[in-house]
Structure formats: structure tokens, C-alpha cells
Amino acid sequence: MKGRSWLFLCLVTIVSVLLSACAFNLFANFELRDLLTRGSVEQRLQAASNALSGSNYDAAIALAGSVLNELLGLDLTNEQLERLLDSTSTVYEMAQALEDATPTDELIDALKILVEAVARKTNKDVTSLAEEIFEVLQELGVDLGPSKSVSKQNTEFWDVLEAHAGTLISLLANTFNARHVLKLLTSGYYFIAKNSTEKDLPAALCVFYDTGYMFNLLIDVDDDGDITDEQFVKDVITDPASIVEFSQRAESGLYNDLEDCKEFVWAYDVLKEMLDVLSIEATFTTLDATSLSQKETIYEVFTLLFGE
């Protein structure tokens, strides 16, 4: 009898715990939707900040996104906000709206929360990346440090790239997946850098994600937003010293794709502007989408950008 009573008590306890957990999750979800529906901008910003601090990135993204939705005059539903990163078109709509937005403190605060939550959720948080990435990029002439500095001049691009190709590609391939996320991060930090008093750090972050966006556009031939499945990436990881040979025969993701080329030119202009903010000297060529779309291989695009 005692055994049966003890078993019954255990079952009741287990069920109670499960029900409590469900109730908590339902309450949390109800509370989130209530804030999305009826919360003021101030309430949603505070809740988004708290969610970010508590590593509840989904809630932070939805709440910060809802503030942007209101301030940018978009018409996104709560369901779209709760699954913001699942929709390429929604992310691009938000990124496009930022280009013409009037800066306000609330808009910038919401953007800061959104981009940080997105970066952490998608494992694109710069602070979590290996330091060697920055060292290699600096050798290529891109200094992503928060303090102003001048990059090296007359960098032997191909020599540096050959020396570090394996490290670069293997470390950055996964980071530079999810093209629409990179677009959102680039656009967000671009807006913040242009409209904040503290410009160095957001400008450096914008350069990083913008470079990743361009890298994705260039390598992603099948336009699925990811590059880890591209043969060029697999080849370089296997045999980094042959990157020049691989690039000479690998088709560019920009080839005969005018829309991607327009995005690449936009990102290239963003890069120039942000490097200027950081007082980083760099040599740029003149790009136009039509001529870019006629470059068949990755090597041809690299040559256009960096010279022989």
C-alpha cells in the first residue's frame, strides 16, 4: 500500500511539474503577445532589453522588431515578428525601410537590441569569433578594430589570401551563411553608425557583416543564402594553397544575376563609406552592376576588386 501511495505521489508530482512548465511557457508566450499587441514603445523596448540580457533572443527580436515595425510604418503581423528571421522578404522589407528612415533615439535603441539579438541567435556575434579572423582581415587591408587606424598600403592581395585561405574560409563559411540575416545586420549597423554619436564600433561591425554579405553574394551560386554547400568553399578548405586555381574555374554567384550585382554594388558603397568613418585608407575601383554581372568566375571579380 505504501508502495502504491509513494508511486502515486511521484506521478502526481511529475505531472504537476510538467503542467507547471507548460503553464509557464504559455504564460510567457501570452505575455509576449500581449506586449506586442498593447505595449507602448517604452514598455516593448524595456522588455526587449530584459529579454536580450536574459539570452531570450527570440523575444528580444520580436519585441525590438515590433518597435521598428511601428516606427518604420511597416505592416508586419505579430506572427511575422515572432518568426522574423525565417522570412527573407520580411527582413529585406525592414532593411529597405531603414535606408529612408528618419533617425530617432527610439529607432536606434530598438535597432541596437535587434542586431545584437540576431547576431547572438544566429551565432554571428563578432565577440565570439576567433581572433585570427581579424588578424587575417587586417593583413588583407581591412582593420576592424574599434579604434581608428590606417590599413597597410599596396597589400599583395593574392599572396596574403593564399597564405590564409584555409583559415579564412573554414572560420567564416558558417558565419557568412544566411544571406538575409547578413543583410539585416549590415543595414542595422550601417544606420546606427550613420546616426549615432559613437560611430567607431557600429561602423566596424557594419564592415564585418557587409564584407560577409558581399562574400555570400559572390560565392553563393545556387542562391539559397548559404555558402557551406558551394564546391568552391569545400575545395578551398580541402586544399587552401590552390585557392587561385579554384577561383579561376569557380563560377561567380554574381554571373548573369543583375539583382545580386545591384546588392553587391550597394554593399560595396556601404563598405567605402564605413571605412571612411573609421579613417581607414583603401583603394576602391568603380563598380557597376551590369559589368559585374558579366564576370564569369570568382577570380575575375577578385581581379576587378583588387587587381592582378
Side-chain angles (χ1 to χ4, degrees):
M1 192 68 179
K2 288 183 179 179
R4 291 175 63 190
S5 298
W6 178 82
L7 179 59
F8 180 74
L9 179 61
C10 286
L11 289 172
V12 170
T13 303
I14 291 170
V15 171
S16 297
V17 170
L18 290 173
L19 288 175
S20 297
C22 291
F24 175 78
N25 290 334
L26 288 171
F27 173 75
N29 191 50
F30 173 79
E31 184 180 42
L32 172 62
R33 294 199 172 185
D34 187 57
L35 276 170
L36 290 175
T37 303
R38 289 187 284 271
S40 65
V41 167
E42 293 77 12
Q43 288 173 323
R44 281 176 281 158
L45 280 176
Q46 185 58 57
S49 179
N50 292 341
L52 179 61
S53 298
S55 300
N56 188 349
Y57 303 132
D58 288 325
I61 291 168
L63 288 162
S66 73
V67 174
L68 293 174
N69 184 40
E70 179 177 330
L71 298 179
L72 296 175
L74 303 176
D75 193 26
L76 305 179
T77 65
N78 286 349
E79 289 72 21
Q80 286 176 299
L81 293 169
E82 289 181 49
R83 302 179 63 84
L84 181 64
L85 299 186
D86 294 341
S87 171
T88 301
S89 59
T90 300
V91 167
Y92 272 67
E93 183 180 357
M94 184 173 287
Q96 185 69 34
L98 283 171
E99 293 184 28
D100 303 315
T102 301
T104 65
D105 290 341
E106 291 174 334
L107 181 58
I108 292 174
D109 287 344
L111 254 182
K112 287 179 178 178
I113 294 171
L114 178 67
V115 292
E116 187 171 350
V118 168
R120 292 189 191 180
K121 176 178 171 59
T122 56
N123 296 317
K124 290 175 171 54
D125 181 11
V126 173
T127 59
S128 68
L129 298 177
E131 291 183 359
E132 49 262 51
I133 292 176
F134 295 97
E135 294 174 4
V136 173
L137 289 177
Q138 285 172 356
E139 289 195 52
L140 287 171
V142 180
D143 188 344
L144 297 179
S147 60
K148 293 184 179 181
S149 58
V150 179
S151 64
K152 294 180 180 180
Q153 297 299 302
N154 301 318
T155 299
E156 294 295 332
F157 175 78
W158 288 109
D159 290 342
V160 176
L161 193 60
E162 284 183 16
H164 298 288
T167 301
L168 267 177
I169 297 295
S170 60
L171 286 173
L172 296 183
N174 285 306
T175 303
F176 290 165
N177 274 337
R179 183 190 300 175
H180 65 297
V181 172
L182 293 168
K183 170 78 170 183
L184 180 59
L185 291 168
T186 298
S187 300
Y189 282 116
Y190 180 56
F191 187 90
I192 294 168
K194 286 178 63 178
N195 298 293
S196 296
T197 53
E198 295 293 331
K199 297 182 180 294
D200 280 2
L201 182 57
L205 292 171
C206 180
V207 167
F208 181 80
Y209 294 118
D210 186 57
T211 303
Y213 186 52
M214 295 169 67
F215 188 76
N216 187 296
L217 286 164
L218 173 61
I219 294 176
D220 184 22
V221 177
D222 59 12
D223 268 344
D224 65 350
D226 292 340
I227 59 173
T228 47
D229 59 346
E230 295 295 338
Q231 191 60 48
F232 174 73
V233 172
K234 295 175 182 177
D235 288 342
V236 173
I237 291 175
T238 303
D239 183 11
S242 300
I243 185 173
V244 175
E245 178 187 343
F246 294 142
S247 69
Q248 287 172 336
R249 66 183 190 219
E251 183 179 315
S252 163
L254 303 172
Y255 184 54
N256 287 333
D257 192 333
L258 194 58
E259 290 305 312
D260 278 3
C261 288
K262 290 177 181 177
E263 285 293 310
F264 192 91
V265 171
W266 170 83
Y268 192 67
D269 289 339
V270 167
L271 181 64
K272 289 190 286 187
E273 189 173 344
M274 291 297 97
L275 289 182
D276 185 57
V277 168
L278 293 168
S279 297
I280 296 174
E281 296 179 8
T283 302
F284 292 96
T285 189
T286 301
L287 285 187
D288 72 90
T290 300
S291 60
L292 196 58
S293 69
Q294 296 168 356
K295 303 298 181 183
E296 185 172 359
T297 66
I298 290 174
Y299 182 86
E300 289 178 88
V301 177
F302 275 155
T303 300
L304 176 65
L305 296 174
F306 303 104
E308 295 290 348

